[in-house]
Every structure is written in C-alpha cells, then in structure tokens.
Amino acid sequence: PWIMLGGSYPGARAAFTRDKYPETIYAAYASSAPVHAQVNISAYYDQVYRGMIAHGYGNCVKDIQAALKYIDHQLAHNKTAAAIKQLFFGEGAETNSNGAFTAALAGIYGFFQSYGTGGGEGSINDFCGYLETDPANNQTAPNGLATTYGNKFVAQRWAAWPIFTE
C-alpha cells in the first residue's frame, strides 16, 4: 500500500486517488486542498482583494485596477493587443492569447498565496511599494499613481517592475 500526500491541487489529487483506489492508497494527506471544483475560479481573487485592503494596500489595489482597465481596453482591439503584450513580455508575446497573457499578469499574486502581504523580493509588499512610488519625487503617492498620471502610466510602470520583467 501507498500513502499519498499533497498540498493545494495535489492534495485534492491525493484525496481523490485514495477514494478511487483504496486497495492501493492506504492513506492520503490533503493539505489545503480545494473542496469545490469549478471552472471559473475568479472568486480566488476576491480573497486577494480583501487581504490587500485589510492590510492597507487600498491605493495599490486601485492602481492595479486602473492598470487592468487600460490593459483590457488595449486587448479589446487587434491593433493594440500585440503592443500591450510586448510591453510586458517582449517580442513574441503577441502570439499568446489574451487569456494566457492576463493569466501571466496574475503571477504577482503567487507570493501572496504563500506568504500574504509580507515577504521580500517579489512580494505584494514589494510590488505595491514599487507601483506606488512616484518616480518624479521618489515618494509614495498618497492616492495612487493613476489619479495623478493615468491608467496607461500605471500599466507601463507595472510592465517595468524589475522583478516582473525577469
């Protein structure tokens, strides 16, 4: 007999495999496994939103929303979709679907899932610190950068975040 373990989706796989093959899988340990399957998991980002707001990242949330509004507008038109993808990921990025491109943008939340708002390089704290710093005076923008410079500026700043461009 085998013992299967996993966290997150591998945890669900462990539990499902144990259920289906009890004669082979003696035990399963499912840590933080999803308990409800669904096709559209956009509700995941509701948790990220609430966590960021609760930890004082309201202006960052507003700027992320402003950048995404600009990005969505660019993706809605064939003439500008390629350019916005290239802005973030360089030449060749235009071959990605809009869905694959926006899924890659969600990479900023990977660190949040593991560590919350804290953490070091690449964390939400690090990203928001970069995104919210006005390059004109190197000070934190009191109401976010979009209110001063506009949605396009914030999207361009996001695309230039050194951690993200790696």
Side-chain angles (χ1 to χ4, degrees):
W2 289 84
I3 296 175
M4 196 169 180
L5 58 98
S8 192
Y9 281 100
R13 183 175 48 227
F16 295 148
T17 304
R18 164 77 173 105
D19 184 59
K20 186 162 177 136
Y21 304 104
E23 69 286 347
T24 303
I25 307 300
Y26 174 76
Y29 179 74
S31 173
S32 300
V35 294
H36 176 76
Q38 64 187 79
V39 174
N40 180 347
I41 60 168
S42 62
Y44 164 78
Y45 297 103
D46 293 343
Q47 311 307 316
V48 175
Y49 171 82
R50 284 196 288 273
M52 289 180 71
I53 295 295
H55 287 91
Y57 294 94
N59 285 340
C60 186
V61 166
K62 290 176 187 174
D63 276 346
I64 290 171
Q65 290 172 332
L68 290 173
K69 190 175 193 176
Y70 174 77
I71 291 165
D72 285 347
H73 181 74
Q74 300 307 298
L75 292 175
H77 308 284
N78 289 335
K79 291 180 180 179
T80 54
I84 194 71
K85 292 173 187 177
Q86 289 173 349
L87 175 67
F88 277 83
F89 298 115
E91 191 175 326
E94 71 280 359
T95 62
N96 290 288
S97 69
N98 290 353
F101 169 70
T102 54
L105 294 180
I108 62 169
Y109 301 119
F111 208 96
F112 179 89
Q113 183 173 357
S114 298
Y115 303 105
T117 55
E121 190 173 71
S123 66
I124 286 292
N125 183 55
D126 188 38
F127 176 68
C128 288
Y130 168 81
L131 195 65
E132 295 304 296
T133 300
D134 188 333
N137 60 19
N138 210 29
Q139 299 292 314
T140 301
N143 296 311
L145 290 179
T147 57
T148 303
Y149 297 107
N151 298 359
K152 179 180 179 179
F153 178 87
V154 177
Q156 290 171 330
R157 185 149 174 82
W158 178 351
W161 183 39
I163 302 301
F164 194 70
T165 57
E166 267 183 33

